[in-house]
Amino acid sequence: MENLGTWLAILNQGLSNTLIATIGGIALTIVLSLVAGLALLSPWRWVRVISRIYVEGLRGTSEVVQLFWIFFALPVLVGFEFIPIWGGVAVLGLNHGAYGAEVVRGAVQSVPRAQYEGALALSLSPAQRMRRVILPQAVAEMIPPFNNLFIQLLKSTSILSFVFIHEITRQAQDVLVPNFNPWVIQIYLLLLVYYLIMSLVITAVMRALERMTAVRLGRRLTRGAARALAGTH
């Protein structure tokens, strides 16, 4: 029990960085997903091309390599250096925003054509159609896949340990490596519990959001939708 208290204290020192990276990464992911996802549906070809380059470029390259580029190559190329934790947020948001863009695109395209036609019949402008009719329905379809994406982002915060950001994985390594700690199984099990609890919190929030969205749209949350929302961690 004495060891447990020490381990918890050490891991908790990295918890704030893990939470900052997760919350900041989620916020940036949402913004980039909406911008890039809607850009993929733009009537202007050059906008679609730019968005597609971003999506395929970030999805098709290693997240760890992107991290090293942000931290080591970018300062050499342009002379700009991120504060470490915000560089981590940038990498997480850019990478997961590329995946989220396809979620947004697919959700918008899944809205029944009749909804577009009804909005046209009401003489709504394109912006009004998107804001008042299409996006509210598309958001309900986005929530389950975004739940999985956000949990994946949480787990990806562990890569920040590669650039010596002291999040919880780095803190666990600091416990193990210097003294060749024989309690390696217990410490890593405790680390798993930390990630599991945070994943469950994300899922609970997303479930609440889906219920709120379903009520606003006059829908019932089906068992299939609930299972999809739970996803795989």
Side-chain angles (χ1 to χ4, degrees):
M1 293 301 293
E2 293 180 1
N3 285 337
L4 178 61
T6 301
W7 299 336
L8 287 173
I10 293 172
L11 291 178
N12 285 339
Q13 291 174 14
L15 186 59
S16 60
N17 278 339
T18 296
L19 293 175
I20 290 171
T22 301
I23 296 170
I26 286 174
L28 185 56
T29 293
I30 292 171
V31 172
L32 292 176
S33 296
L34 287 171
V35 172
L38 295 177
L40 289 172
L41 300 171
S42 172
W44 295 294
R45 186 172 183 273
W46 65 271
V47 175
R48 296 197 304 273
V49 169
I50 292 174
S51 183
R52 180 56 64 186
I53 290 172
Y54 159 66
V55 170
E56 298 303 332
L58 272 293
R59 291 197 310 172
T61 54
S62 167
E63 195 171 6
V64 175
V65 175
Q66 293 165 18
L67 182 70
F68 289 159
W69 263 89
I70 286 286
F71 278 89
F72 303 122
L74 190 64
V76 174
L77 291 174
V78 299
F80 177 79
E81 187 173 352
F82 276 99
I83 296 173
I85 187 62
W86 297 117
V89 168
V91 171
L92 294 169
L94 286 166
N95 184 273
H96 291 83
Y99 288 93
E102 288 291 356
V103 172
V104 172
R105 180 188 63 81
V108 170
Q109 290 183 322
S110 72
V111 175
R113 185 65 188 173
Q115 298 296 321
Y116 289 87
E117 294 170 354
L120 282 172
L122 293 172
S123 300
L124 298 179
S125 68
Q128 289 174 324
R129 290 198 297 270
M130 183 60 68
R131 181 168 55 87
R132 297 183 179 182
V133 179
I134 307 305
L135 273 182
Q137 297 179 69
V139 165
E141 304 300 325
M142 297 177 199
I143 292 176
F146 267 123
N147 179 58
N148 292 336
L149 188 63
F150 294 160
I151 291 173
Q152 186 59 49
L153 186 150
L154 164 65
K155 293 185 289 186
S156 292
T157 60
S158 62
I159 70 171
L160 302 185
S161 63
F162 294 158
V163 290
F164 308 106
I165 294 175
H166 285 267
E167 41 67 65
I168 57 175
T169 299
R170 181 72 189 184
Q171 290 298 108
Q173 292 171 347
D174 287 348
V175 175
L176 293 168
V177 175
N179 302 315
F180 299 97
N181 200 307
W183 300 96
V184 58
I185 295 176
Q186 290 86 344
I187 293 172
Y188 277 129
L189 180 60
L190 189 60
L191 189 61
L192 289 176
V193 171
Y194 269 76
Y195 282 113
L196 177 60
I197 291 172
M198 288 186 283
S199 295
L200 292 175
V201 170
I202 291 173
T203 297
V205 171
M206 297 301 284
R207 282 181 174 172
L209 286 175
E210 181 161 19
R211 290 191 187 96
M212 291 170 56
T213 304
V215 169
R216 291 186 62 182
L217 295 176
R219 298 178 180 177
R220 294 183 60 188
L221 185 62
T222 65
R223 292 181 180 179
R227 286 195 298 268
L229 182 62
T232 57
H233 299 173

